[in-house]
Amino acid sequence: MEFKIGKSNSTKVIYAFENCDLCGLSETLKAYVNENKLFKGKRGEIFTNLGPNSENLILVGLGKKDEISLENIRRSFLKLGKTLKANNVSSCDIKINKFEGICYKLTAQAIMEGIINSTYSFDKFLKEKNDKYSCEIFLEVEEDKKEKISDGIKEIKVLTEAVFMCRDLVNRPANDIYPETLANFAKDELEKVGVNVEILEKKQIEALKMEAFLAVSRGSDLPPKFIIMKYLPNKDEKPIVLVGKGLTYDAGGLAIKPATGMVDMKTDMGGSAAVISTMYAIGKMNIQRNVIALVASCENMINGSAYRNGDIISSMKGSTIEVINTDAEGRLTLADALYYGASKLNPECIIDVATLTGACIYALGGKVVGAVSNNDEIFEKVKNSADIMGEYLWRFPVFEEHRESVKGKIADLLNSTGPGSGGAITAGIFLEHFVENTPWVHLDIAGPSHSATAWGINPQGASGIPVKTLYNFVKKFNK
Ligand code: BES
Ligand code: ZN
Ligand code: ZN
């Protein structure tokens, strides 16, 4: 999709609230539409009048006026994007309106984002590729807003590119994306946009004494990689540290998963895909904020060297951990990545992103990011960012008993707290132990990272969540 500021006098896109006067249509067409109840303006409703002898226009419903939001705009315009493609429209005009209480630039971006999202498909493994389609879309904007909107076009293109990058990474299977290819992908893509990427090999990981990460990786024949991505445009500024869970496959280890639950575990690197893609957007947009992203990438498999249920392992911090369940592996890899960030990078704050627990899906449903945090101010920044970007996020409460339940009797910590213990919360609290009082927010994306069915503006498969939240959080941090 190609966006330009201006007007082409080709197909006209008109959007309207429910039961609104349809200005822009001829009186005859308006009467025809109303009499036959062809368009009421319901959210996502579309009416087309295209082809020979038509007025060459498309109506898009926005729903009730008092329910207007950026996310509702995105969702309505996703439908428009699909309609443009279905009708093979080559160019169209959209006038950007000012809605009460919503920023003009964000409105324009929401419109574009909805449309661009209609074009995503994952066809890397199909012999016959999906049809490519593009449309020249002209935006009619207020005279004094042209510059702002033209910046907005550039930004939303980069941001959706990053979201699509994340989706592709998560959708790619584990025989294609494994620690080495994930690390190389980060290096190749991020160095293009000014992000420095360092890949630590097994020997270097051993030298750092990342015993918890190494224990998980031992059951796989593929070597682990520790990926450090640095974007440091400012002098003397503490970095925001992003940490992503990078399990390129989670078979469960000796606590092996049933086959049905295993297929989707190629997506257990969704957190790492999100932080890598966020770094891409930050670099490409030249965001003036120091950020470092970390990924401890490995597979959770079974071979003769695999760690066992019952093992007591150490960690970079030196805390010992009793492995109650080898399938609670994510927190072990994250423990060392978080401690590396907290102890070596002098961070302003740390945000980790992980497909961490099935319990999070039980608690909040499959479309919501679950958060655990030790800092109200940083959490609120993340939450505001998620709200603006249309990504659902909710914070879990933490009580004394949650903290108690991760404490061990024969080791310092337990890696699993069992059913009925508030597994999404206790997993977060396990991680908190390794952030050394750094302001920190943990985002459990086990649910919304990918889905068997399309929802909102997300396609079936990977969603790219929470790239938009992270990008906006970093961009707005100093403001
Ligand atoms: N990667 C899974 C969590 C997960 C489950 C992500 C479903 C996406 C969808 C994680 O490593 C895991 O297996 N967690 C266990 C923890 C338990 C053993 C304490 C879980 O949630 O069952
Ligand atoms: Zn697991
Ligand atoms: Zn996992």
Side-chain angles (χ1 to χ4, degrees), residues 252-369:
L254 280 163
I256 193 166
K257 286 180 186 294
T260 45
M262 214 189 277
V263 179
D264 279 346
M265 286 303 132
K266 64 168 187 172
T267 68
D268 212 18
M269 33 59 75
S272 65
V275 304
I276 291 168
S277 306
T278 302
M279 292 304 276
Y280 177 79
I282 290 169
K284 198 155 182 184
M285 285 308 295
N286 260 307
I287 300 298
Q288 291 303 299
R289 187 71 189 63
N290 287 359
V291 194
I292 301 178
L294 304 172
V295 172
S297 183
C298 67
E299 293 186 309
N300 189 22
M301 303 279 283
I302 311 178
N303 60 21
S305 317
Y307 77 144
R308 306 164 194 83
N309 301 292
D311 279 0
I312 295 177
I313 60 174
S314 188
S315 58
M316 183 180 176
K317 176 169 169 165
S319 304
T320 57
I321 304 158
E322 185 177 3
V323 180
I324 301 299
N325 193 317
T326 58
D327 197 12
E329 82 299 333
R331 68 198 74 185
L332 301 173
T333 63
L334 290 165
D336 284 341
L338 288 167
Y339 185 74
Y340 179 94
S343 66
K344 287 194 174 289
L345 302 176
N346 190 27
E348 175 73 43
C349 61
I350 304 180
I351 315 293
D352 79 71
V353 191
T355 47
L356 202 62
T357 66
C360 189
I361 307 175
Y362 284 111
L364 297 175
K367 299 175 172 63
V368 184
V369 179

